[in-house]
Amino acid sequence: MNSKLMAAAIVAASVLSAPVAQAEQFINVLTGGTSGVYYPLGVAMGKIYGDKIPGVKTQVQATKASVENLVLLQQGRGEIAFTLGDSLKAAWEGDAEAGFKNKLDKLRTIGAIYPNYIQIVATAESGIKTLADLKGKSLSVGAPKSGTELNSRAILAAAGMSYKDLGKVEYLPFAESVDLMKNRQLNATLQSAGLGVASLKDLSTSSEITVVAVPKETVDKIGPPFVSVIIPANTYTGQDKDVPTAAVVNYLVTSSAVSDDLAYQMTKLVYESLPELANAHAAGKEIKLEAAATGSPVPLHPGAIRYYKEKGLIK
């Protein structure tokens, strides 16, 4: 009898413990529009996590990018997200103008990744060659309250302009902006993304374009986290010269609700899978481990700190 009771107890215990043993962790990767850079990198990350973290189920969500991603993280609706550094700073400070009514205090940084280049591209027939030439013309500034749109405001302000100086303002994602330009319904687009963004490559192969410079003196007026950089010649078809512009560092961000162990694994797998990310998009080639733990306006997650200490990046 005792042996039967013992056997029954063992079976009951195994049944009760089974759901715990088989419980899946979930990682929702918050990205951006499908024609941008965040999305293909996010898809690659989702596959890496699914393949290499035991018991993890992943999902990759297309979003309106930085601002929406940070709000979703605060709400517990994502585990890791891409964001621009200036949007991250605004979220941490609770900048209502940038779309954050309250300080997003649950945000924690995983690490710095690649710089976003402010890429202003006009159709050649528009005659736009400088920032000043945008006056009276139509410009797509990115989805409303997106990181790109916040960048658009900053660049125009530094050039002594606002949306009121433009002929028409379109608040559109990258691919939709390019479609309008191809159809001669839009003069220019500002896209904040890694070099070689698919939407602008597509446009440059089908239309004659001008890549508009953002001079260093304009970038200096904005100040950090904006820095002056160069879009190398031949990044896009027909762009035969280097073009100066501004850049803002992108970050991977998580939430304080994410466990230290999961944050550690997510951090480790990003910086130890850089060849896979580079294969997913050229911007992945610009992600450097040595810069990962620097510059964020938001504290690092303890799980990320653990990894950086292992690599000697933090004492």
Side-chain angles (χ1 to χ4, degrees), residues 127-189:
I128 297 169
K129 295 181 180 178
T130 68
L131 287 175
D133 293 336
L134 289 169
K135 289 182 179 179
K137 300 294 173 68
S138 56
L139 174 69
S140 179
V141 296
K145 297 285 179 72
S146 64
T148 291
E149 202 247 313
L150 297 183
N151 289 172
S152 296
R153 293 190 210 179
I155 295 294
L156 289 173
M161 290 187 284
S162 72
Y163 290 169
K164 292 179 182 178
D165 294 301
L166 302 173
K168 187 178 182 182
V169 180
E170 296 282 4
Y171 297 88
L172 295 171
F174 297 170
E176 286 88 335
S177 302
V178 163
D179 286 342
L180 286 185
M181 291 175 76
K182 287 180 180 178
N183 294 326
R184 298 182 173 180
Q185 295 174 293
L186 180 69
N187 298 135
T189 178

Side-chain angles (χ1 to χ4, degrees), residues 191-251:
Q191 303 196 0
S192 181
L195 287 179
V197 62
S199 52
L200 295 180
K201 280 197 165 184
D202 173 36
L203 177 65
S204 72
T205 57
S206 60
S207 306
E208 192 177 346
I209 64 164
T210 300
V211 181
V212 180
V214 180
K216 185 179 184 301
E217 54 268 27
T218 302
V219 181
D220 290 344
K221 286 180 184 176
I222 310 173
F226 289 80
V227 294
S228 191
V229 292
I230 295 292
I231 301 173
N234 302 311
T235 297
Y236 300 106
T237 302
Q239 179 215 341
D240 57 4
K241 295 178 181 177
D242 289 352
V243 177
T245 193
V248 185
V249 173
N250 286 284
Y251 290 88

Side-chain angles (χ1 to χ4, degrees), residues 226-300:
F226 289 80
V227 294
S228 191
V229 292
I230 295 292
I231 301 173
N234 302 311
T235 297
Y236 300 106
T237 302
Q239 179 215 341
D240 57 4
K241 295 178 181 177
D242 289 352
V243 177
T245 193
V248 185
V249 173
N250 286 284
Y251 290 88
L252 288 172
V253 186
T254 187
S255 157
S256 57
V258 170
S259 72
D260 291 1
D261 184 58
L262 185 57
Y264 168 81
Q265 292 182 81
M266 290 195 301
T267 307
K268 177 184 173 73
L269 285 171
V270 165
Y271 295 100
E272 296 187 1
S273 305
L274 295 182
E276 291 96 315
L277 296 180
N279 285 337
H281 194 282
K285 296 174 184 175
E286 298 187 61
I287 303 174
K288 310 294 182 187
L289 173 61
E290 53 269 26
T294 62
S296 177
V298 170
L300 289 163

